[in-house]
Amino acid sequence: MRLGTLMTGLCIAATLEANAQKNVSPFNTIGGAQKRETKSRVEIPTDTTLQDTLRSEVMNTEADNAEDDVPLLVALPLQSIHINSPFGMRRDPMNRKKGRMHNGLDLRARYEDVYSMLPGTVTAAGTSVAGGNYVTIDYGICTCSFLHLSKIGVVKGQRVSAGEKIAISGNTGKRTTGPHLHLSCKWSDTGKYFDPRILLKFITEQLIKLKT
C-alpha cells in the first residue's frame, strides 16, 4: 500500500530531519521536538469533499504502528484548507464551453505563506507560462508542485523540512482567474498524477493524532 510505504519513508526521514527544522510553521507541523509537547493550533480541512475522503479511506495498520516508534514530520501546505476546485474532469475555467482534466487541487489562498508538506528536496523552482511561479519538491514516494506563486522562497537542490516556508501564494501564470494555490502530485514510480486529497488526508490524520 502506497501510504504504508510513505509512512515508513517518513519515519526514516524523521530521524534524519529532527534537527533540521527551520522556518517551521507552529500551527500545522508535527515531528521532531514538537511531538506531544506541542500545544499547536491545528487547522483541520472543512471542505465537505475532503471530509468525505477522510471518512471513507482507512489507513494501513502497519503505518499506524510505525508512528509509535519514530516521530513523523508532516504539515499542511496552508494555514487552513479549503478546496475551490477538486481533482478530475471539470469545465475549463478559461473556456467554459470545454471540459478539461484538472490534474490537481485549487486551494483558497490570497498571498499566504506556503509550506512543505513533508521532508524533501526541491527539484525545480522557476516560472512557466501557464503555471506562473512554481516550486516542485521530491518527497521520495511522490513529487508535488505548487503553482501560481507570487514569491519563491527556495532554490533547486535545497533540502526542506515539513512545515518549512517555501513560497507565498499568488496569481501568476496565464491559467488562473484569481489568487489561489494549485497543488499537483505525481507518484514517483509511475509519473502519474493522483488526487492530492490522498496526501492531505494522510497529513490531517497525523495532525489529529497529535491533538488526541
Side-chain angles (χ1 to χ4, degrees), residues 58-76:
V58 179
M59 289 296 296
N60 186 304
T61 54
E62 282 187 314
D64 289 333
N65 292 336
E67 191 273 338
D68 295 332
D69 299 325
V70 183
L72 297 176
L73 299 174
V74 299
L76 294 172

Side-chain angles (χ1 to χ4, degrees), residues 150-207:
S150 63
K151 184 177 180 179
I152 296 173
V154 292
V155 296
K156 182 178 179 180
Q158 181 176 336
R159 287 282 300 171
V160 293
S161 302
E164 182 173 341
K165 181 180 174 180
I166 59 172
I168 298 176
S169 68
N171 189 34
T172 58
K174 288 189 175 182
R175 289 201 60 81
T176 175
T177 58
H180 71 284
L181 176 66
H182 175 91
L183 172 64
S184 62
C185 301
K186 293 181 179 180
W187 295 119
S188 296
D189 55 353
T190 64
K192 292 183 178 180
Y193 287 101
F194 66 91
D195 191 338
R197 286 177 298 180
I198 295 173
L199 191 53
L200 293 179
K201 176 252 183 194
F202 167 80
I203 291 170
T204 300
E205 288 187 342
Q206 303 311 308
L207 294 171

Side-chain angles (χ1 to χ4, degrees), residues 76-206:
L76 294 172
L78 296 166
Q79 181 176 1
S80 61
I81 302 296
H82 180 90
I83 299 174
N84 286 342
S85 183
F87 178 91
M89 289 297 299
R90 66 173 182 175
R91 193 176 298 277
D92 189 343
M94 311 303 292
N95 184 351
R96 304 296 294 178
K97 295 181 179 180
K98 294 183 178 181
R100 185 185 179 97
M101 179 64 186
H102 189 218
N103 290 318
L105 294 178
D106 287 344
L107 302 177
R108 179 187 295 170
R110 293 188 61 84
Y111 304 96
E112 301 172 20
D113 291 345
V114 179
Y115 302 94
S116 177
M117 296 182 288
L118 305 167
T121 301
V122 178
T123 57
T127 302
S128 68
V129 174
N133 298 330
Y134 70 93
V135 170
T136 299
I137 302 177
D138 182 357
Y139 291 131
I141 193 173
C142 65
T143 60
C144 295
S145 295
F146 308 79
L147 279 62
H148 307 304
L149 307 171
S150 63
K151 184 177 180 179
I152 296 173
V154 292
V155 296
K156 182 178 179 180
Q158 181 176 336
R159 287 282 300 171
V160 293
S161 302
E164 182 173 341
K165 181 180 174 180
I166 59 172
I168 298 176
S169 68
N171 189 34
T172 58
K174 288 189 175 182
R175 289 201 60 81
T176 175
T177 58
H180 71 284
L181 176 66
H182 175 91
L183 172 64
S184 62
C185 301
K186 293 181 179 180
W187 295 119
S188 296
D189 55 353
T190 64
K192 292 183 178 180
Y193 287 101
F194 66 91
D195 191 338
R197 286 177 298 180
I198 295 173
L199 191 53
L200 293 179
K201 176 252 183 194
F202 167 80
I203 291 170
T204 300
E205 288 187 342
Q206 303 311 308

